[in-house]
């Protein structure tokens, strides 16, 4: 199966590609404005068809043994491995991310996640069976929830599709995924790979449509039992409202504004290099990217100078060039949004480097047709300013000084978000305090960004709730049933007398 042949359309329902009933839409390469694929978006009838296919497939898939589901996911990992070059190429074309990131991070991470859930499918945890009342044997069953409606974002289309689909189907659910209409292609490739791996038709379905039509209809659909959403906090609130009306289980991974806290005993060189990598990964379009660096006063000036020097050397250019460090942002609209944050910040802060769209790439190529934006370093902003508090979602790092440890940790926590953070120190007591007191779902020490399939990813506060990846994610997609057997064979039980009759 050629996963890159999108044939008649961008909807994948019951194991086949179909044409959507909605408006035509162009998937655009943000590096040069060229059209990657022309699709027809999903309408509500397409969503209904996908949910119906998922519902029809649910009895067979949910009753399959964990071993059978595990074997299917193992085959899926092999199919994805065979298609790794195509996946990386298409991911780069639709997002503009550097091909070296897609090749070395997005695709292998997705394959590893698939292999992990192949194993996790056989490990549905529950409390050991036992006679907890004395007269009964109790045990716990973990069962599939039903049809899952998931919405994934445009920044990591392939990985986010996997993060939604894998734990859901490993636990025996079926799924309808709505990817961002800007970047649906690798999600469709992933769904087609599921079919190639022998996963039954209807278990994995994809509808490519706009949020206000296809997305809202999917979330509110009466046959959808659980909703999983990754995206901005304002949209997450809307998703929660719609899901709550139907009493659906919800899983929300929302915005972030990750602090990068550098104490005065940190390895300065490591912190500078770490900040550059963590702020520019995926063009800064990462909810865990380092966006606010708090640097203790003795290291502040040297840190700013070091980051500025490395930012100036970043190779901006064609994302298909393996030498390129930073490609375009996902769209011209988003590039202008990022630029707006920086332009407004000029009135109250200092733009040390960057702060504009480049005209030439690192190889002298013309970049004016693309949605490019230079790595941008901002200093002198107040803690309550927009650029410090708002989710810029671009290659922009704001650096602020602090004096005491108390102040640094207070500032780190001083946003509505709590998805990820890092602390940089050589002191074990400082690191333990930071990891304990920073309110975030993930806190790295002397690094920032690495993720692994075995560990959970998810936020605190306005960054949402629920976990992706890991056994914790698999548990999110199950419902727990307590089963209790009488062991006495006594007809007239003693506890009955608390309701009627005498002892």
């Amino acid at each position: 199966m050629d996963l890159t042949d999108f044939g008649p359309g961008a909807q994948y329902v019951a194991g086949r590609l179909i044409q959507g009933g909605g408006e035509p839409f162009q998937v655009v390469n943000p590096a040069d404005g060229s059209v990657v694929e022309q699709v027809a978006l999903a309408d509500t009838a397409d969503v209904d068809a996908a949910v119906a296919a998922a519902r029809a497939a649910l009895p067979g898939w949910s009753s399959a043994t964990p071993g059978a589901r595990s074997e299917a996911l193992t085959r899926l990992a092999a199919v994805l491995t065979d298609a790794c070059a195509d996946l990386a190429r298409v991911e780069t074309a639709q997002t503009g991310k550097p091909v070296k990131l897609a090749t070395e991070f997005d695709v292998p991470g997705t394959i590893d996640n698939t292999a992990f859930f192949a194993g996790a499918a056989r490990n549905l945890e529950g409390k050991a069976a036992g006679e907890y009342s004395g007269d009964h044997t109790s045990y716990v069953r973990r069962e599939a929830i039903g049809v899952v409606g998931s919405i994934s974002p445009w920044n990591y289309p392939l990985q986010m599709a996997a993060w939604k689909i894998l734990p859901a189907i490993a636990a025996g659910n079926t799924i309808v995924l709505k990817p961002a209409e800007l970047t649906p292609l690798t999600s469709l490739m992933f769904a087609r790979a599921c079919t190639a791996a022998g996963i039954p038709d209807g278990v994995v379905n994809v509808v490519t449509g706009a949020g206000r039509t296809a997305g809202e209809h999917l979330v509110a659909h009466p046959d959808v039992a659980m909703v999983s959403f990754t995206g901005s906090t304002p949209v997450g609130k809307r998703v929660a409202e719609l899901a709550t009306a139907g009493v659906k289980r919800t899983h929300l991974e929302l915005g972030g504004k990750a602090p990068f806290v550098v104490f005065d005993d940190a390895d300065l060189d490591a912190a500078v290099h770490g900040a550059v990598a963590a702020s520019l990964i995926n063009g800064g379009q990462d909810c865990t990217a380092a966006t606010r660096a708090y640097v203790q006063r003795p290291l502040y000036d040297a840190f700013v100078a070091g980051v500025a020097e490395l930012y100036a050397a970043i190779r901006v250019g064609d994302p298909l060039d393996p030498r390129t460090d930073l490609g375009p942002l996902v769209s011209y609209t988003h590039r202008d949004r990022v630029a707006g944050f920086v332009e407004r910040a000029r009135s109250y802060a200092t733009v040390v480097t960057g702060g504009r769209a480049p005209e030439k790439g690192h190889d002298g190529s013309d970049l004016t047709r693309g949605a490019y934006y230079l790595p941008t370093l901002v200093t002198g902003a107040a803690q309550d300013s927009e650029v410090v508090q708002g989710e810029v979602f671009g290659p922009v790092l704001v650096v602020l000084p602090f004096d005491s440890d108390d102040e640094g940790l207070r500032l780190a926590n001083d946003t509505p978000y709590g998805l990820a953070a890092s602390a940089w120190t050589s002191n074990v007591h400082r690191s333990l305090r930071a990891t304990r007191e920073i309110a975030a779902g993930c806190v790295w020490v002397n690094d920032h960004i690495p993720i692994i399939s075995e560990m959970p990813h998810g936020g605190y506060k306005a960054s949402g709730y629920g976990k992706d990846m890991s056994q914790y994610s698999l548990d999110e997609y199950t419902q727990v049933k307590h089963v209790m057997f009488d062991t006495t064979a006594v007809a007239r039980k003693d506890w009955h007398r608390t309701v009627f009759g005498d002892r």
Side-chain angles (χ1 to χ4, degrees), residues 359-383:
E359 295 181 357
K360 298 291 184 182
H362 64 88
D363 60 355
S365 58
D366 180 15
L367 299 184
T368 56
R369 291 186 301 156
Y372 291 90
Y373 199 75
L374 288 173
T376 300
L377 181 63
V378 177
T379 61
Q383 174 67 13

Side-chain angles (χ1 to χ4, degrees), residues 299-443:
L299 297 184
Y300 177 80
D301 290 339
F303 180 90
V304 170
V307 171
E309 181 181 1
L310 288 181
Y311 269 12
I314 292 296
R315 296 168 298 188
V316 182
D318 179 2
L320 286 175
D321 182 344
R323 298 171 298 165
T324 292
D325 300 320
L326 186 68
L329 299 183
V330 74
S331 69
Y332 307 103
T333 298
H334 186 63
R335 190 268 309 276
D336 293 345
R337 177 185 177 276
V338 171
F341 273 92
V342 177
E343 291 308 305
R344 292 188 294 274
R346 292 185 192 277
S347 66
Y348 57 79
T350 300
V351 178
V352 177
T353 187
R356 63 180 178 86
E359 295 181 357
K360 298 291 184 182
H362 64 88
D363 60 355
S365 58
D366 180 15
L367 299 184
T368 56
R369 291 186 301 156
Y372 291 90
Y373 199 75
L374 288 173
T376 300
L377 181 63
V378 177
T379 61
Q383 174 67 13
D384 61 356
S385 63
E386 179 193 47
V387 78
V388 174
Q389 294 291 326
E391 191 174 21
V392 179
F393 223 60
V396 179
L397 177 66
V398 184
V399 186
L400 299 90
F402 69 92
D403 292 303
S404 68
D405 289 16
D406 288 348
E407 181 189 16
L409 295 174
R410 177 180 61 79
L411 293 171
N413 283 329
D414 185 27
T415 71
Y417 301 106
L419 186 59
S422 64
W424 297 75
T425 176
S426 60
N427 184 299
V428 66
H429 301 292
R430 266 179 163 166
S431 66
L432 288 170
R433 181 187 178 192
T435 57
R436 183 175 64 249
E437 295 187 12
I438 293 176
C442 176
V443 181

Side-chain angles (χ1 to χ4, degrees), residues 161-176:
W163 285 16
K164 299 301 183 191
I165 292 170
L166 292 170
I169 67 173
N173 304 284
T174 56
I175 188 168
V176 178

